[in-house]
Amino acid sequence: MADSEETTSSTETSTGSNTGKKKVDLLLKSAGDAPILKKKKWSVDPDKKVGWIIDFLRRYLKCQPSESLFIYVNQAFVPSADQSIRNLYQCFAADGKLVLYYCKTQAWG
């Protein structure tokens, strides 16, 4: 009986590691005065942090260093820059996508 339990747990572990390497779908929507992206849906490594998304958006939108950029989850709260995309995806994804709103001025929260 112990052998079958070990086999089950090792199968679950290997399955879990395979899904851990899969990219997650991220939907970036503008809010307020932020420019609209031509491409809204992105596949992102789940181990990336929110800070990486902010840096990516700043480069993509060609923001000046003095300009602010805010990211919101569910139009409600600002995730911390060190929060992983995987954690946000597991908690707040809907229809297989994590929706993040971005804007240049504080909009919600």
Side-chain angles (χ1 to χ4, degrees):
M1 182 161 185
D3 292 332
S4 65
E5 288 177 12
E6 289 175 6
T7 306
T8 304
S9 65
S10 67
T11 303
E12 289 173 356
T13 304
S14 66
T15 304
S17 65
N18 287 342
T19 58
K21 293 182 180 180
K22 187 173 128 179
K23 293 191 176 196
V24 297
D25 288 333
L26 189 66
L27 194 61
L28 297 172
K29 293 187 172 186
S30 68
D33 62 346
I36 298 171
L37 298 174
K38 289 181 182 179
K39 180 180 176 184
K40 294 177 173 119
K41 185 177 176 184
W42 302 85
S43 292
V44 178
D45 178 13
D47 294 327
K48 299 282 187 192
K49 305 290 183 190
V50 172
W52 182 87
I53 299 293
I54 293 170
D55 290 340
F56 167 77
L57 276 171
R58 291 183 71 74
R59 285 190 310 269
Y60 196 85
L61 297 172
K62 298 177 181 143
C63 291
Q64 298 297 319
S66 61
E67 290 180 302
S68 298
L69 188 66
F70 297 91
I71 299 287
Y72 293 93
V73 176
N74 291 345
Q75 297 179 344
F77 73 95
V78 179
S80 64
D82 64 345
Q83 185 73 43
S84 74
I85 298 299
R86 173 177 287 133
N87 190 24
L88 290 176
Y89 183 83
Q90 290 172 346
C91 295
F92 301 106
D95 298 326
K97 296 181 208 74
L98 175 63
V99 181
L100 296 179
Y101 291 83
Y102 63 94
C103 58
K104 290 188 174 185
T105 58
Q106 193 169 3
W108 300 284

